[in-house]
Amino acid sequence: MYLIDPIPLEKEALDGLIGSDPVTGIIVTNANHHRASARFAEQSSVPIFAHAHAFPDNRPCQFRSVADGDEICDGLRVICIEGAAAGEIVLHYAPDGGTLMVGDALINFEPYGFTFLPGKYCSNEKEMQRSLRKLFDYRAERMLFAHGLPILSRASERLRALLDAPSS
């Protein structure tokens, strides 16, 4: 079990989420999502996986740098997204039709709906939109977001419609 961008939780809440499964690692999707990663990594004695730019200073001692195309475990691949937040990665989990797990590059909440991270939060909005096209190489039935509701079916189709829509 991997925790992605974990937030601080009381022990009872964490135990309810993970049950008796051991935590294998912590994954941080960008420089804005450190949250409780160091605390959980230390408590569980597990590594933190993230792009090097997610921790430009003061890397935790358990830090493990990942790059585009790396596989963290069987079926869990890293896709680096340039132009979004520093160190932005998307995770693709291949089993069961595929799942994409997005840090900040894509959002899905009102009043915006399913769309791109607003430009004011990007290092280069156009580069991010081009980089997101890498996701077309990965089949995904579902898409999970750090910010917003999940898409639980036809995620790849929804992504293609978003990326192929004319720019406004």
Side-chain angles (χ1 to χ4, degrees), residues 19-75:
S20 61
D21 294 329
V23 174
T24 306
I26 310 297
I27 302 170
V28 175
T29 60
N30 66 58
N32 299 323
H33 288 188
H34 295 175
R35 300 174 177 159
S37 60
R39 186 177 83 187
F40 282 123
E42 187 175 309
Q43 286 174 346
S44 302
S45 298
V46 297
I48 295 174
F49 297 90
H51 188 278
H53 293 145
F55 287 88
D57 308 310
N58 302 327
R59 289 192 180 142
C61 61
Q62 316 91 319
F63 181 77
R64 303 292 183 275
S65 182
V66 296
D68 197 43
D70 284 355
E71 198 168 74
I72 292 175
C73 68
D74 195 28

Coordinates of all heavy atoms in Angstrom, one line a residue, residues 19-75:
G19 N -6.2 -0.3 7.6 CA -6.5 -1.6 8.2 C -5.2 -2.3 8.6 O -4.3 -1.6 9.2
S20 N -5.0 -3.5 8.3 CA -3.8 -4.2 8.7 C -2.7 -4.3 7.6 O -1.7 -4.9 7.8 CB -4.2 -5.7 9.1 OG -4.7 -6.4 8.0
D21 N -3.0 -3.7 6.5 CA -2.0 -3.7 5.4 C -0.9 -2.8 5.7 O -1.0 -1.6 6.2 CB -2.7 -3.1 4.1 CG -3.8 -4.0 3.6 OD1 -3.7 -5.3 3.8 OD2 -4.7 -3.5 2.9
P22 N 0.4 -3.2 5.5 CA 1.5 -2.4 5.8 C 1.7 -1.3 4.7 O 1.4 -1.6 3.5 CB 2.7 -3.4 5.7 CG 2.2 -4.5 4.8 CD 0.7 -4.6 5.0
V23 N 2.1 -0.2 5.1 CA 2.4 0.9 4.1 C 3.8 0.6 3.6 O 4.7 0.4 4.3 CB 2.3 2.3 4.8 CG1 2.8 3.4 3.9 CG2 0.9 2.6 5.3
T24 N 3.9 0.6 2.3 CA 5.2 0.3 1.6 C 5.9 1.6 1.2 O 7.2 1.6 1.1 CB 4.9 -0.5 0.3 OG1 4.1 -1.6 0.6 CG2 6.1 -0.9 -0.4
G25 N 5.2 2.7 1.0 CA 5.9 3.9 0.6 C 4.9 5.1 0.6 O 3.7 4.9 0.6
I26 N 5.4 6.3 0.5 CA 4.7 7.5 0.4 C 5.1 8.1 -1.0 O 6.2 8.1 -1.3 CB 5.1 8.5 1.5 CG1 5.0 7.9 2.9 CG2 4.2 9.8 1.4 CD1 3.7 7.4 3.4
I27 N 4.1 8.6 -1.7 CA 4.3 9.3 -3.0 C 3.8 10.7 -2.9 O 2.7 11.0 -2.4 CB 3.6 8.5 -4.1 CG1 4.0 7.1 -4.2 CG2 3.8 9.2 -5.4 CD1 3.2 6.2 -5.1
V28 N 4.7 11.6 -3.3 CA 4.3 13.1 -3.3 C 4.3 13.5 -4.7 O 5.2 13.4 -5.5 CB 5.4 13.9 -2.5 CG1 5.1 15.4 -2.6 CG2 5.4 13.4 -1.0
T29 N 3.1 14.1 -5.1 CA 2.9 14.4 -6.5 C 3.5 15.7 -7.0 O 3.5 16.0 -8.2 CB 1.4 14.3 -6.9 OG1 0.7 15.3 -6.1 CG2 0.9 12.9 -6.7
N30 N 3.8 16.6 -6.1 CA 4.5 17.9 -6.5 C 5.0 18.6 -5.2 O 4.7 18.2 -4.1 CB 3.6 18.7 -7.3 CG 2.4 19.3 -6.6 OD1 2.4 19.9 -5.6 ND2 1.2 18.9 -7.2
A31 N 5.6 19.7 -5.4 CA 6.3 20.5 -4.4 C 5.2 21.1 -3.4 O 5.6 21.5 -2.3 CB 7.1 21.6 -4.9
N32 N 4.0 21.2 -3.8 CA 2.9 21.8 -2.9 C 2.3 20.7 -2.1 O 1.3 21.1 -1.3 CB 1.9 22.5 -3.8 CG 2.5 23.6 -4.6 OD1 3.3 24.3 -4.1 ND2 2.0 23.8 -5.8
H33 N 2.6 19.5 -2.2 CA 1.9 18.4 -1.6 C 2.7 17.6 -0.6 O 2.5 16.4 -0.3 CB 1.3 17.4 -2.6 CG 0.2 18.0 -3.4 ND1 -0.6 17.3 -4.2 CD2 -0.4 19.3 -3.4 CE1 -1.5 18.1 -4.8 NE2 -1.4 19.3 -4.2
H34 N 3.7 18.3 0.1 CA 4.5 17.6 1.1 C 3.6 17.1 2.2 O 3.8 16.0 2.8 CB 5.6 18.5 1.7 CG 6.6 18.8 0.7 ND1 7.6 19.7 1.0 CD2 6.8 18.4 -0.6 CE1 8.4 19.9 -0.1 NE2 7.9 19.1 -1.1
R35 N 2.7 18.0 2.6 CA 1.7 17.7 3.7 C 2.3 16.9 4.8 O 3.2 17.3 5.5 CB 0.5 17.0 3.0 CG -0.2 17.8 2.0 CD -1.3 17.2 1.2 NE -1.9 18.1 0.3 CZ -2.6 17.6 -0.7 NH1 -2.8 16.4 -0.9 NH2 -3.2 18.5 -1.5
A36 N 1.8 15.7 5.1 CA 2.3 14.9 6.2 C 3.2 13.7 5.7 O 3.4 12.8 6.5 CB 1.1 14.3 7.0
S37 N 3.8 13.9 4.6 CA 4.6 12.8 4.0 C 5.7 12.4 4.9 O 6.0 11.2 5.1 CB 5.0 13.1 2.6 OG 5.8 14.3 2.6
A38 N 6.5 13.4 5.3 CA 7.7 13.0 6.2 C 7.3 12.3 7.4 O 7.9 11.4 7.9 CB 8.5 14.3 6.4
R39 N 6.2 12.8 8.1 CA 5.8 12.2 9.3 C 5.3 10.7 9.1 O 5.7 9.8 9.8 CB 4.6 13.0 9.9 CG 4.2 12.4 11.3 CD 3.1 13.2 11.9 NE 1.9 12.7 11.4 CZ 0.7 13.3 11.6 NH1 0.6 14.4 12.3 NH2 -0.4 12.8 11.1
F40 N 4.6 10.5 8.0 CA 4.1 9.1 7.8 C 5.3 8.2 7.4 O 5.4 7.1 7.8 CB 3.1 9.1 6.7 CG 1.7 9.4 7.1 CD1 1.0 10.5 6.6 CD2 1.1 8.8 8.2 CE1 -0.3 10.9 7.0 CE2 -0.2 9.1 8.6 CZ -0.9 10.2 8.0
A41 N 6.2 8.7 6.6 CA 7.4 8.0 6.2 C 8.2 7.6 7.4 O 8.7 6.4 7.5 CB 8.2 8.8 5.2
E42 N 8.4 8.5 8.3 CA 9.2 8.2 9.5 C 8.4 7.2 10.4 O 9.1 6.3 10.9 CB 9.4 9.5 10.3 CG 10.3 9.3 11.5 CD 10.6 10.7 12.1 OE1 11.0 11.6 11.4 OE2 10.5 10.7 13.4
Q43 N 7.1 7.4 10.6 CA 6.4 6.5 11.4 C 6.4 5.1 10.9 O 6.4 4.1 11.7 CB 4.9 7.0 11.6 CG 4.7 8.2 12.5 CD 3.3 8.7 12.4 OE1 2.5 8.3 11.6 NE2 3.0 9.6 13.4
S44 N 6.3 4.9 9.6 CA 6.2 3.6 9.0 C 7.6 3.1 8.5 O 7.6 2.0 7.9 CB 5.3 3.7 7.8 OG 4.0 4.1 8.1
S45 N 8.6 3.9 8.6 CA 10.0 3.5 8.1 C 9.9 3.1 6.7 O 10.4 2.0 6.3 CB 10.5 2.4 9.0 OG 10.7 2.8 10.3
V46 N 9.3 4.0 5.8 CA 9.2 3.7 4.4 C 9.8 4.9 3.6 O 9.9 6.0 4.1 CB 7.8 3.4 4.0 CG1 7.2 2.2 4.7 CG2 6.9 4.6 4.3
P47 N 10.1 4.7 2.4 CA 10.6 5.8 1.5 C 9.5 6.7 1.0 O 8.4 6.4 1.0 CB 11.3 5.1 0.4 CG 10.6 3.8 0.3 CD 10.2 3.4 1.7
I48 N 10.0 8.0 0.7 CA 9.1 8.9 0.0 C 9.5 9.0 -1.4 O 10.7 9.3 -1.7 CB 9.2 10.3 0.6 CG1 8.7 10.3 2.1 CG2 8.5 11.4 -0.2 CD1 9.0 11.6 2.8
F49 N 8.6 8.7 -2.3 CA 8.9 8.7 -3.8 C 8.4 10.1 -4.3 O 7.2 10.4 -4.1 CB 8.2 7.6 -4.5 CG 8.7 6.2 -4.1 CD1 8.1 5.5 -3.0 CD2 9.8 5.6 -4.7 CE1 8.6 4.3 -2.6 CE2 10.3 4.4 -4.4 CZ 9.6 3.7 -3.3
A50 N 9.2 10.8 -5.1 CA 8.8 12.1 -5.7 C 9.8 12.5 -6.7 O 11.0 12.0 -6.7 CB 8.7 13.2 -4.6
H51 N 9.4 13.3 -7.6 CA 10.3 13.9 -8.5 C 11.3 14.8 -7.8 O 10.9 15.4 -6.7 CB 9.6 14.8 -9.6 CG 10.4 15.3 -10.7 ND1 11.2 16.4 -10.6 CD2 10.6 14.8 -11.9 CE1 11.8 16.6 -11.7 NE2 11.5 15.6 -12.5
A52 N 12.5 14.9 -8.2 CA 13.5 15.7 -7.5 C 13.1 17.2 -7.3 O 13.4 17.7 -6.2 CB 14.9 15.7 -8.3
H53 N 12.4 17.7 -8.2 CA 11.9 19.1 -8.1 C 10.8 19.3 -7.0 O 10.5 20.4 -6.7 CB 11.5 19.7 -9.4 CG 12.6 19.8 -10.4 ND1 12.4 19.6 -11.7 CD2 13.9 20.1 -10.2 CE1 13.6 19.8 -12.4 NE2 14.5 20.1 -11.5
A54 N 10.2 18.2 -6.6 CA 9.2 18.3 -5.5 C 9.8 18.6 -4.2 O 9.2 19.1 -3.3 CB 8.4 17.0 -5.4
F55 N 11.1 18.3 -4.0 CA 11.9 18.6 -2.8 C 13.2 19.3 -3.2 O 14.2 18.7 -3.1 CB 12.1 17.3 -2.0 CG 11.0 16.7 -1.3 CD1 10.1 15.8 -2.0 CD2 10.7 17.1 0.0 CE1 9.0 15.3 -1.3 CE2 9.6 16.5 0.6 CZ 8.8 15.6 0.0
P56 N 13.1 20.5 -3.7 CA 14.3 21.2 -4.1 C 15.3 21.5 -3.0 O 16.5 21.5 -3.2 CB 13.8 22.5 -4.7 CG 12.5 22.7 -4.1 CD 11.9 21.4 -3.8
D57 N 14.8 21.6 -1.8 CA 15.6 21.9 -0.6 C 15.2 20.9 0.5 O 14.1 20.3 0.4 CB 15.4 23.3 0.0 CG 15.5 24.4 -1.1 OD1 16.5 24.4 -1.8 OD2 14.6 25.2 -1.2
N58 N 16.0 20.6 1.4 CA 15.7 19.8 2.6 C 14.9 18.5 2.3 O 13.8 18.3 2.7 CB 14.8 20.7 3.6 CG 15.5 21.9 4.0 OD1 16.7 21.9 4.1 ND2 14.8 23.0 4.2
R59 N 15.6 17.7 1.5 CA 15.0 16.4 1.2 C 14.9 15.5 2.4 O 15.9 15.4 3.1 CB 15.7 15.7 0.1 CG 15.5 16.4 -1.3 CD 16.1 15.6 -2.4 NE 15.8 16.3 -3.6 CZ 16.6 16.4 -4.6 NH1 17.7 15.7 -4.6 NH2 16.3 17.1 -5.7
P60 N 13.8 14.8 2.6 CA 13.8 13.9 3.8 C 14.8 12.8 3.6 O 15.2 12.4 2.4 CB 12.4 13.3 3.7 CG 11.7 13.9 2.6 CD 12.6 14.8 1.9
C61 N 15.3 12.2 4.6 CA 16.3 11.2 4.5 C 15.8 9.9 3.8 O 16.6 9.2 3.2 CB 16.9 10.8 5.9 SG 15.7 10.2 7.1
Q62 N 14.5 9.7 3.8 CA 13.9 8.6 3.2 C 13.6 8.8 1.7 O 12.9 8.0 1.0 CB 12.6 8.1 3.9 CG 12.6 8.1 5.4 CD 12.2 9.5 6.0 OE1 12.5 10.5 5.5 NE2 11.4 9.4 7.0
F63 N 14.0 10.0 1.1 CA 13.6 10.4 -0.2 C 14.2 9.5 -1.3 O 15.4 9.1 -1.3 CB 14.2 11.8 -0.5 CG 13.8 12.3 -1.8 CD1 12.5 12.8 -2.1 CD2 14.7 12.4 -2.8 CE1 12.2 13.3 -3.3 CE2 14.4 12.9 -4.1 CZ 13.1 13.3 -4.3
R64 N 13.3 9.1 -2.3 CA 13.7 8.4 -3.5 C 13.2 9.1 -4.7 O 12.0 9.3 -4.9 CB 13.1 6.9 -3.5 CG 13.4 6.1 -2.3 CD 14.9 5.7 -2.2 NE 15.1 4.8 -1.1 CZ 15.4 5.2 0.1 NH1 15.4 6.4 0.4 NH2 15.6 4.3 1.1
S65 N 14.2 9.6 -5.5 CA 13.8 10.4 -6.7 C 13.2 9.5 -7.8 O 13.8 8.4 -8.0 CB 15.0 11.1 -7.2 OG 14.7 11.9 -8.3
V66 N 12.1 9.9 -8.4 CA 11.6 9.2 -9.5 C 11.6 10.1 -10.8 O 11.6 11.3 -10.6 CB 10.1 8.7 -9.2 CG1 10.1 7.7 -8.1 CG2 9.2 9.9 -8.9
A67 N 11.6 9.5 -11.9 CA 11.7 10.2 -13.2 C 10.6 9.7 -14.1 O 10.0 8.6 -13.8 CB 13.0 10.0 -13.8
D68 N 10.4 10.4 -15.2 CA 9.3 10.0 -16.2 C 9.5 8.5 -16.6 O 10.6 8.1 -17.0 CB 9.4 10.9 -17.4 CG 8.2 10.9 -18.2 OD1 7.1 10.9 -17.7 OD2 8.3 10.8 -19.5
G69 N 8.5 7.7 -16.5 CA 8.5 6.4 -17.0 C 8.9 5.4 -15.9 O 8.8 4.1 -16.1
D70 N 9.4 5.8 -14.8 CA 9.8 4.9 -13.7 C 8.6 4.2 -13.2 O 7.4 4.7 -13.2 CB 10.4 5.7 -12.5 CG 11.8 6.1 -12.7 OD1 12.4 5.8 -13.8 OD2 12.4 6.8 -11.9
E71 N 8.8 2.9 -12.7 CA 7.8 2.1 -12.1 C 8.1 2.0 -10.6 O 9.2 1.5 -10.3 CB 7.7 0.7 -12.8 CG 6.4 0.0 -12.5 CD 6.3 -1.2 -13.4 OE1 7.0 -2.2 -13.1 OE2 5.5 -1.1 -14.4
I72 N 7.2 2.5 -9.8 CA 7.4 2.5 -8.3 C 7.2 1.1 -7.8 O 7.9 0.6 -7.0 CB 6.5 3.5 -7.6 CG1 6.9 4.9 -8.0 CG2 6.5 3.3 -6.1 CD1 6.0 6.0 -7.5
C73 N 6.2 0.4 -8.3 CA 5.9 -1.0 -8.0 C 5.3 -1.6 -9.3 O 5.0 -0.9 -10.2 CB 5.1 -1.2 -6.8 SG 3.4 -0.6 -6.9
D74 N 5.0 -2.9 -9.2 CA 4.4 -3.5 -10.4 C 3.1 -2.9 -10.8 O 2.1 -2.8 -10.0 CB 4.2 -5.0 -10.1 CG 3.9 -5.8 -11.3 OD1 4.4 -5.5 -12.4 OD2 3.2 -6.9 -11.2
G75 N 3.1 -2.3 -12.0 CA 1.8 -1.7 -12.5 C 1.6 -0.2 -12.1 O 0.6 0.4 -12.5

